[in-house]
């Protein structure tokens, strides 16, 4: 199967190109870059800044770009449907809806984190949230200084799992900052705080705090290859799936 990488000149995109060299079952055929540039992508691989050509040249697409760019890709895919694995975070509701619409026409996998560890963390958080009723939940995420969206897509996914497990709507209970004389913490609120600095690949801590005890579940990504390798594994899995919208947990049989 011919793979197209969208966002190819980015941090994850460049690792995807490298890691594709070790993948025997998929072949890199085309990369999309924002402006045409000389990229070392290997013999026979097409480099384009034209989304239509990019989609035409791909049997399956891996997208790690930015929301505005991903929207352009999704709109093209609605005209020419192909399976897509997207890891782009910070998507708007409209952009998520485009992916949902696309999933009626092709297989779509969207995951704010492609790592096995975070997929499991998500399950652990849901279990802990339900079991530890009455414990206050707080989430802290840390990323490198270049990350543009905050809080991270992963932190929002974890927060949603924690809230849903208690029958709460995350949009009604999420707190994104505390400053000044704001009063006491309410019982249902879930703070999701973002720290930025250095070269941190990604660190997420979900804490459950009670009087007399607390438990913290933490995941730390030490290499960005975790995401690129996870996305390639997800693309291999998706290539044999029927149309529909999938998450990373589906590929791991965690349900
Ligand atoms: P990056 O900024 O290094 O790369 C972004 C890429 O998108 C670049 O190649 C850039 O040229 C391209 N791009 C930006 N605007 C464009 C436009 N208008 N048209 C065409 N191309 C455009 O970012 P990154 O660190 O590689 O991360 C990419 C995305 O993946 C981000 O949303 C990030 O949060 C997300 N991410 C997801 C996971 C995951 O596991 N799901 C892991 C890490 C990062």
């Amino acid at each position: 199967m011919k793979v197209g990488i969208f966002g190819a000149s980015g941090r994850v995109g460049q690792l995807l190109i490298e890691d594709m060299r070790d993948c025997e079952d998929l072949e890199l055929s085309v990369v999309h870059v924002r402006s045409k540039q000389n990229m070392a992508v290997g013999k026979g691989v097409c480099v384009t800044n034209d989304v239509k050509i990019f989609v035409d040249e791909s049997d399956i697409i891996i997208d790690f770009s930015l929301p505005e760019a991903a929207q352009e890709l999704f709109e093209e895919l609605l005209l020419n449907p192909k399976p897509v694995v997207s890891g782009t975070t910070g998507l708007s509701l409209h952009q998520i809806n485009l992916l949902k619409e696309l999933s009626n026409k092709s297989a779509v996998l969207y995951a704010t984190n492609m790592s096995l560890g975070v997929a499991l963390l998500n399950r652990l958080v849901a279990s802990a949230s339900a079991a530890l009723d009455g414990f206050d939940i707080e989430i802290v995420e840390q990323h490198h200084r270049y990350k543009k969206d905050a809080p991270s897509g992963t932190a929002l996914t974890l927060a949603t799992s924690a809230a849903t497990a208690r029958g709460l709507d995350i949009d009604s209970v999420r707190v994104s900052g505390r400053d000044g004389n704001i009063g006491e913490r309410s019982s249902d609120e879930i703070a999701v705080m973002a720290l930025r600095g250095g070269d941190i690949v990604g660190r997420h801590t979900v804490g459950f705090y009670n009087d007399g005890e607390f438990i913290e579940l933490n995941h730390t990504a030490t290499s960005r290859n975790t995401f690129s390798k996870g996305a390639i594994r997800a693309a291999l899995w998706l290539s044999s799936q029927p149309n529909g919208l999938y998450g990373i947990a589906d590929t791991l049989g965690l349900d």
Side-chain angles (χ1 to χ4, degrees), residues 88-228:
T88 300
T89 63
L91 295 183
S92 66
L93 189 59
H94 172 64
Q95 289 153 353
I96 294 281
N97 282 338
L98 290 179
L99 271 183
K100 285 185 181 158
E101 197 182 331
L102 181 60
S103 69
N104 295 318
K105 302 180 173 193
S106 65
V108 175
L109 188 145
Y110 180 65
T112 53
N113 197 305
M114 298 284 173
S115 95
L116 170 61
V118 165
L120 182 64
L121 175 65
N122 214 26
R123 295 303 154 110
L124 296 174
V125 164
S127 303
S129 175
L132 302 174
D133 195 27
F135 282 52
D136 299 329
I137 304 175
E138 302 272 334
I139 298 176
V140 178
E141 59 100 334
Q142 294 167 263
H143 280 88
H144 53 90
R145 60 169 73 93
Y146 303 108
K147 184 163 176 63
K148 296 188 178 65
D149 54 319
S152 69
T154 304
L156 291 173
T157 302
L158 292 167
T160 303
S161 297
T164 306
R166 288 187 178 181
L168 300 170
D169 170 25
I170 186 58
D171 291 332
S172 312
V173 295
R174 181 160 76 89
V175 170
S176 54
R178 294 191 180 103
D179 192 2
N181 189 15
I182 57 165
E184 291 179 8
R185 186 191 195 283
S186 66
S187 62
D188 282 347
E189 70 189 54
I190 298 177
V192 185
M193 304 296 190
L195 276 64
R196 295 287 175 267
D199 63 354
I200 303 171
V201 174
R203 185 169 167 82
H204 292 86
T205 303
V206 183
F208 299 85
Y209 305 93
N210 201 3
D211 297 337
E213 61 174 334
F214 66 82
I215 177 169
E216 289 178 334
L217 302 175
N218 170 266
H219 176 273
T220 304
T222 53
S223 159
R224 214 165 262 119
N225 288 92
T226 306
F227 310 129
S228 51

Side-chain angles (χ1 to χ4, degrees), residues 17-18 21 28-31 38-47:
I17 292 170
E18 264 176 50
R21 295 191 182 117
L28 180 61
S29 62
V30 57
V31 300
N38 296 330
M39 281 192 72
V41 284
K43 222 171 133 208
V45 177
C46 168
V47 180

Side-chain angles (χ1 to χ4, degrees), residues 33-38 46-49:
V33 291
R34 190 175 199 170
S35 50
K36 232 176 175 33
Q37 50 181 265
N38 296 330
C46 168
V47 180
T48 182
N49 59 0

